[in-house]
Amino acid sequence: MESIPRPGFGVWLIAPDATESAVAGALATGYRHVDTAAAYGNEPAVGRAVRAFGGDVHVTTKYFNPGDDHGYDDARAAFEESFDRLGLDRIDLYLVHWPVRAGGGFVESWRALADLRDDPRLGSIGVSNFSRAHLNAVVDATGVTPAVNQIELHPYFQQAELRREHAERGVATVAWGPLGQGDQHDERVLDDPVLAEIAAAHGRSVAQVVLRWHLQLGTIPIPKAADPDHMRANLDVFDFELTGADMDAIAALDRGTRYGPDPDTHDFPGSYGGRPVGRA
Ligand code: NAD
């Protein structure tokens, strides 16, 4: 797999009619990696912004597979639809979005992606929200290891065991919700006093410290920011370094708190981020 630019720019819950200008702003700011998904409903807008930019941009999208009809044929058809909606020469990375439903249908979705590997319209294939058991299931069934697993990962949910598993298997870790999803939750990573102290010591914001922590951990964070100041700040994380003591202090913040759904138990009955489930 070609290396994936870090940080990437996530576009979940950016409304379709606001996405084109947000992505255009991100690309003008210097991002070279955009993370979208069929389920976000904004692939056409991402494609328009990337086409207008014209430069080399890594684009990830995802097969949304909670519907009853997901599986091999559905995944193949969904790839064609995402490809058409994006309107780009290729999709750099295509992921199985969630390991649902119970019963293992995601293995057939993975088999479909594995069979797409030689398609010149596709760079690499991977998964998202997979546990160790889910990874075992797809690798055992197909012999094909996902290039990446995109998982929830932030200082309050650090996923050390799964990161170790990834390192052993050569799977890159992409971190979603890398900032703890901003102000969407009561216990906010961005309000953490230990992180505030580290940020003050480096003359940086807490968000910058958290993104720097991701880089030093070896993950690929994909923060979302509609605010241009946040967009810029989130890229400006290459000219300072957290100390060993900073890294240890952040490691101690792990609470095992998942903000998103648990992939072992959740199968998206009804909707995803307000959008109906089933193919976008
Ligand atoms: P995030 O951790 O990126 O947090 C985004 C929030 O943080 C926004 O509300 C934003 O206003 C705020 N923020 C951003 N930069 C800031 C800064 N510098 N200072 C203060 N606040 C700041 O959470 P997310 O959007 O859920 O995750 C990022 C991306 O990950 C998504 O956009 C999407 O592309 C992807 N994602 C994937 C999955 C999956 O199942 N694979 C699930 C959720 C998200």
Side-chain angles (χ1 to χ4, degrees):
M1 184 183 61
E2 291 160 27
S3 77
I4 304 179
R6 313 187 288 171
F9 185 71
V11 298
W12 183 42
L13 293 183
I14 301 187
D17 61 358
T19 302
E20 186 173 349
S21 64
V23 173
L27 297 176
T29 305
Y31 290 85
R32 293 294 177 267
H33 163 191
V34 182
D35 180 83
T36 184
Y40 303 167
N42 52 20
E43 289 172 310
V46 168
R48 282 195 300 277
V50 171
R51 284 199 305 275
F53 175 70
D56 198 13
V57 180
H58 169 104
V59 176
T60 296
T61 194
K62 315 182 188 91
Y63 169 49
F64 189 52
N65 53 320
D68 286 329
D69 55 351
H70 77 95
Y72 189 92
D73 293 339
D74 195 61
R76 295 287 295 239
F79 172 78
E80 298 299 331
E81 290 167 10
S82 280
F83 185 79
D84 289 346
R85 278 193 296 265
L86 282 160
L88 301 170
D89 292 341
R90 75 169 195 166
I91 290 173
D92 297 284
L93 179 60
Y94 194 49
L95 309 181
V96 174
H97 203 152
W98 286 88
V100 290
R101 292 197 175 212
F106 62 90
V107 173
E108 290 313 305
S109 306
W110 178 248
R111 200 184 297 284
L113 269 58
D115 285 351
L116 278 166
R117 273 176 310 159
D118 292 334
D119 192 318
R121 299 172 302 162
L122 179 57
S124 303
I125 55 172
V127 295
S128 181
N129 301 298
F130 274 41
S131 66
R132 181 169 189 266
H134 298 128
L135 287 171
N136 281 336
V138 293
V139 175
D140 286 353
T142 65
V144 179
T145 301
V148 316
N149 187 14
Q150 183 183 127
I151 54 174
E152 178 179 351
L153 203 164
H154 47 74
Y156 288 174
F157 193 62
Q158 299 188 14
Q159 303 249 40
E161 217 172 291
L162 193 49
R163 278 190 284 117
R164 262 194 303 277
E165 179 76 19
H166 289 172
E168 277 167 25
R169 290 179 179 272
V171 174
T173 302
V174 178
W176 69 253
L179 301 172
Q181 301 195 309
D183 57 7
Q184 287 181 48
H185 305 282
D186 290 340
E187 275 189 336
R188 296 176 188 170
V189 169
L190 295 182
D191 289 342
D192 186 274
V194 172
L195 293 172
E197 214 173 289
I198 296 171
H202 289 277
R204 297 294 173 137
S205 70
V206 170
Q208 287 175 312
V209 163
V210 171
L211 291 169
R212 182 70 212 177
W213 169 78
H214 278 283
L215 299 187
Q216 291 184 216
L217 217 53
T219 78
I220 302 165
I222 48 171
K224 176 184 67 187
D227 177 329
D229 288 339
H230 289 165
M231 223 182 248
R232 255 192 309 280
N234 293 351
L235 263 193
D236 184 16
V237 289
F238 291 93
D239 60 351
F240 73 107
E241 193 158 355
L242 299 175
T243 64
D246 294 335
M247 293 299 285
D248 290 346
I250 300 174
L253 296 178
D254 193 10
R255 306 174 178 195
T257 305
R258 229 183 236 293
Y259 289 139
D262 184 339
D264 279 327
T265 53
H266 199 78
D267 71 354
F268 301 97
S271 75
Y272 186 87
R275 292 176 57 81
V277 297
R279 279 227 313 278

